[in-house]
Amino acid sequence: MSAQLINGNHLSQQLRGEIAERAAALTAKGKQPGLAVIIVGDDPASHVYVRNKVKACGDVGFHSVLEKYDASLSEEELLNRIRALNEDASIHGILVQMPLPKHINAFKVIETISAAKDVDGYSVLSAGELMSGLPGFRPCTPYGCMKLIESTGYDLRGKHAVVIGRSNTVGKPMALLLLQANATVTICHSGTPDLAYHTKQADVVVAAVGRRNTLTGDMVKPGAVVIDVGINRNDEGKLCGDVDFDSVEKVAGYITPVPGGVGPMTITMLLMNTLESAERN
Ligand code: NAP
């Protein structure tokens, strides 16, 4: 058996086409969606991420602002920039690229972003809305994973989903979204003694660990849906996920590749959140 590939590039393109159409309709009414991206410091990977986000905005017809600051920027200066963007009517989403320099309190930064513009969905309010099943901004990566699963037509109702990882940005919101879709959810983490015991029973596995080969074929139930969030490098320096693709794709029913799976969906869902913010505004 060979798993069906869930193509994140393809789904992303399709969704970005829909986003561009809705953005054009808003722009025609004089309300072009706008995203502000702030980056502090010179982490090369973070600069690549923000460039991609800004480019994606242009591709779907959004207005975007990229603010780059030296690592010496004070916390108060950053908070003041966010406060100014909160008041800027042309901006519907504010994203501060993580990680931030150590002297800046990331929690304070996230909480300073207006709840109406928290398109990353990282604030305590957004987390509470998700927890309570209220509408609100969903963190982009798990939101994208849900869209990938939905795209297969797979019905999550009553299925057993195992999420590996419990970060506030991926693992925990992922588990809550699966729960909202009426799956029975197990969350595993570094303190889980026998990971394979859980994954072998799972109809759906989402791996969000940051360690390659965390999930191998012998740990997967035949026919399972496997979503690989991880971004790692193999010995040859090539991009790979948390899932050992070659062994798992022989057992799983559906699988996302790395690259070309969850990665492109994360930016797409950021665009979706920004669009919805502009539409709501
Ligand atoms: P994180 O904050 O480091 O969390 C990793 C989680 O994995 C933690 O909850 C940790 O458990 C758990 N873990 C570590 N070792 C484990 C093990 N041996 N068995 C089971 N669980 C284990 O990372 P993250 O931000 O959630 O990101 C996870 C991965 O996804 C990373 O590779 C990241 O680069 C990638 N990512 C990709 C995208 C994308 O767009 N494709 C977006 C975001 C993140 P403890 O809580 O016990 O420490």
Side-chain angles (χ1 to χ4, degrees):
M1 188 177 152
S2 183
Q4 217 171 300
L5 210 63
I6 314 179
N7 188 328
N9 284 325
H10 184 252
L11 180 60
S12 231
Q13 259 175 14
Q14 192 186 317
L15 288 171
R16 288 187 198 196
E18 290 167 23
I19 291 168
E21 276 179 29
R22 282 162 64 183
L26 277 180
T27 304
K29 288 186 205 155
K31 208 168 70 179
Q32 183 182 27
L35 177 71
V37 180
I38 299 179
I39 181 163
V40 186
D42 53 8
D43 176 51
S46 297
H47 276 270
V48 173
Y49 294 146
V50 298
R51 258 203 312 277
N52 290 342
K53 287 167 186 173
V54 168
K55 182 184 176 303
C57 282
D59 291 346
V60 296
F62 287 8
H63 155 65
S64 67
V65 175
L66 173 58
E67 297 192 7
K68 296 181 187 176
Y69 296 104
D70 192 81
S72 62
L73 185 79
S74 74
E75 183 179 279
E76 199 46 36
E77 284 170 314
L78 177 58
L79 298 184
N80 282 336
R81 271 313 298 149
I82 295 171
R83 290 180 189 118
L85 290 164
N86 283 343
E87 300 303 319
D88 184 339
S90 74
I91 295 298
H92 305 96
I94 302 170
L95 181 152
V96 179
Q97 185 65 41
M98 301 292 161
L100 286 166
K102 285 198 170 51
H103 65 276
I104 298 178
N105 180 333
F107 178 76
K108 234 189 210 178
V109 168
I110 292 166
E111 291 308 311
T112 301
I113 297 172
S114 149
K117 299 187 180 186
D118 174 34
V119 288
D120 250 342
Y122 288 172
S123 69
V124 169
L125 182 78
S126 294
E129 284 169 337
L130 172 58
M131 180 84 175
S132 314
L134 294 169
F137 295 115
R138 303 317 188 211
C140 303
T141 300
Y143 190 11
C145 293
M146 291 302 287
K147 290 282 175 196
L148 287 164
I149 299 170
E150 263 173 42
S151 74
T152 66
Y154 188 85
D155 184 5
L156 285 164
R157 183 174 294 267
K159 300 296 195 314
H160 182 196
V162 169
V163 179
I164 319 174
R166 58 173 166 182
S167 67
N168 288 339
T169 51
V170 189
K172 279 184 211 156
M174 186 72 234
L176 288 167
L177 288 169
L178 289 162
L179 194 62
Q180 236 170 46
N182 291 314
T184 300
V185 183
T186 300
I187 306 177
C188 299
H189 46 79
S190 66
T192 302
D194 186 354
L195 183 61
Y197 168 80
H198 299 280
T199 58
K200 272 183 197 166
Q201 300 174 49
D203 301 302
V204 177
V205 182
V206 180
V209 174
R211 200 191 62 165
R212 67 192 169 108
N213 296 334
T214 296
L215 190 76
T216 49
D218 55 330
M219 297 166 73
V220 174
K221 179 172 159 179
V225 178
V226 176
I227 306 292
D228 191 353
V229 181
I231 302 176
N232 311 295
R233 298 266 169 198
N234 66 15
D235 292 337
E236 291 86 50
K238 272 192 174 167
L239 217 57
C240 68
D242 291 343
V243 173
D244 174 32
F245 187 89
D246 290 344
S247 66
V248 173
E249 71 104 19
K250 292 187 177 74
V251 186
Y254 291 95
I255 188 167
T256 60
V258 177
V262 174
M265 291 300 291
T266 296
I267 295 186
T268 299
M269 302 328 289
L270 172 71
L271 297 173
M272 185 66 89
N273 278 344
T274 306
L275 173 77
E276 287 175 357
S277 173
E279 285 176 339
R280 222 176 286 150
N281 187 277

